[in-house]
Amino acid sequence: MLYDLAIIGGGINGAGVARDAALRGLRVALIEREDWGAGTTGSSTRMVHGGVRYLLYDVPTTRHSSADAARVRRIAPHLTFRIPFLWPLFAQGRVMAEAMEAFLSAYDRYAKLKGGLRHARLSAADARRIEPGLAPELRGALTLDEWGVDVFRLSALNALDAREAGAVLLPHTEAVDFLYDGRSVRGVRVRDRLTGAGREVEARLVLNAGGPWAGRIAAMAGGTVRLRPGKGIHVTFERRIGNYGMILEGVDGRTMFLVPHGAETIVGTTDDDYYGDPARVDYEVTNDEVAYVVEAAARAIPQARAWRPLRAWAGVRNTIFEWGVDADDLSRRHEVVDHEARDGVPGLFSLAGGKLASYRMFAEEATDRVLEKLGRPPAACETGSRPLPGAEVEPDFRALARRYPLPPASIERIWRRLGGRLHDAFADAAPADLAPLCRSEAVTPAEIRHAVRAEGCRTLEDLRRHAHVGAGSCDGLDCAAPAAHLLAELLGWSPERTAAQLDAFLERRWIGRRPVLRGATLAQEEVSRGVHAPAAPPTP
Ligand SMILES: Cc1cc2nc3c(=O)[nH]c(=O)nc-3n(C[C@H](O)[C@H](O)[C@H](O)COP(=O)(O)OP(=O)(O)OC[C@H]3O[C@@H](n4cnc5c(N)ncnc54)[C@H](O)[C@@H]3O)c2cc1C
């Protein structure tokens, strides 16, 4: 089969282009080495925000992100949620407070684009009434409105909608080389990372949507994508600390966010130049980085030092290269690169830069360029108005709880992942399949069966991204084993394979927990890990 377009990388940008291109009638193959959103997308702050900060030095990014965030809300109302933000004001002085308010007045017109409310100025007493934990030095607060999103689901639903429009999805498949017809790139040689099987994916055009890997992928064909990768870490706290997001300031003056997300709270992010392997960045989170993030939260809410951090995680920004600029101040602009024009490599395009919030617009621009290159007539883009699979207006969860034997709050958690497709998952479920096997995230066996059969999950890690197995406060200790056994039954795994999957899953959770533990707690976890770790193979 000769595809029109083979896309390398199933992050939000690759999945977004796959959806757009398939809807515009192209034969598309989407190749992802892991799972939808498993790279930078999955380690973002998870906001389709306008980027209030970029208003200082990158107004087009704020404008595009705000306009596109509104479309993302429209096509995926079940995945997006409003986050009212407080911006606490400390001893900045009256002039600074006035300047910050003027800044937010300028942002109001962009916030409006995405259905956000105008900012308001609160006295210290009013701010404390809605957030009693705020520090005694508080002088007042400003408010603004942003939107959060489930990034794994957003990526997966873009990929799945592409599949419904005819695209072929190849998750767990790594692009290892390009195919050529003379000088021209004519497809991709790939390897299934779970089975080891290799194959060729022939295509008239290849699009490299490898995020922070884009430079390495382009280099395989002799092309160049110059990025300035930046490492950003977040800390997840074990519960929802409040209903408001907060703009925080690090000890060096850097802006950070505190975001209520599902049943937890996320705080981050840092931004430092990073030259390592993007796939290993989670292994490189340090105690110091965690302390820096916690201190930013504690400046606004002193009690933050006593909150229980669940895990820390990291990602690599795929920002476009600039010299002489602080990593934090790099533009978030995006670019579609035609390597024929840039490097004399026909048949290859790359995506560089961008933001989650404006992924749909970036995908539209890239698809326009692909159609032009393939000599196809322009076709209308539908991705800003066509709902993603399962998108529907919020149902009455109490009524649904009378239909399915689950508490309304659990039904809501599940609906926030599946939307209307919840009925597909639950329609013929036996009563035992509706008993949650993960209590913190209300994951049922019925949802896992759906994730495997309808969404193509093949590993326990896939289930974390698709169905939130192990993504809640139990960190997998409660639900990973029953989920692994159910996967084994569905996918015909041997006991050895099941045990290896479980070990690998719990090891990944440990990598996240390790940097947030200290002293006696760390020692205790090390001991139990040593006791329960699989026995080392005998030395020959
Ligand atoms: C810490 C942090 C916080 C952020 N917060 C926000 C935010 O709140 N809002 C916002 O708008 N933006 C945010 N961003 C930016 C945003 O996350 C990125 O711009 C966006 O997710 C990039 O998506 P992508 O698809 O280009 O890259 P990725 O998501 O990295 O996708 C690239 C994919 O390519 C795959 N791949 C790599 N090599 C191969 C290969 N050889 N074969 C097959 N597949 C391959 C990878 O597995 C990966 O899944 C943040 C970024 C970071 C790092």
Side-chain angles (χ1 to χ4, degrees), residues 8-14 31-35 37-49 173-176 209-213 217 220 230-234 269-270 315-318 353-358:
I8 304 172
I12 193 60
N13 287 321
I31 301 158
E32 162 56 46
R33 70 189 289 279
E34 210 167 332
D35 182 25
T40 299
T41 302
S43 44
S44 67
T45 314
R46 305 172 183 177
M47 290 201 295
V48 278
H49 58 150
T173 301
E174 182 158 17
V176 292
W213 290 266
I217 294 170
M220 289 196 296
K231 172 187 176 191
I233 78 136
H234 291 88
T269 170
T270 56
V316 182
R317 286 185 186 77
N318 46 327
K355 277 175 60 63
L356 168 71
S358 51

Side-chain angles (χ1 to χ4, degrees), residues 343-404:
D343 309 297
V345 182
L348 180 65
F349 274 19
S350 288
L351 304 184
K355 277 175 60 63
L356 168 71
S358 51
Y359 87 88
R360 199 214 54 82
M361 197 176 271
F362 193 9
E364 180 177 348
E365 198 180 310
T367 308
D368 287 344
R369 295 278 299 278
V370 166
L371 286 171
E372 190 189 346
K373 192 76 175 176
L374 291 174
R376 296 289 188 91
C381 170
E382 300 172 42
T383 56
S385 55
R386 176 187 154 106
L388 281 166
E392 62 173 14
V393 287
E394 195 170 304
D396 176 348
F397 298 116
R398 284 180 191 282
L400 279 183
R402 287 192 286 277
R403 188 162 158 200
Y404 303 114

Side-chain angles (χ1 to χ4, degrees), residues 149-190:
V149 67
D150 183 330
V151 281
F152 293 119
R153 295 299 301 165
L154 187 66
S155 306
L157 293 189
N158 270 277
L160 292 168
D161 203 34
R163 188 182 68 185
E164 289 181 15
V168 169
L169 304 184
L170 299 170
H172 295 289
T173 301
E174 182 158 17
V176 292
D177 205 352
F178 288 104
L179 307 173
Y180 297 92
D181 177 1
R183 270 179 53 241
S184 184
V185 170
R186 192 67 175 174
V188 190
R189 181 163 291 117
V190 301

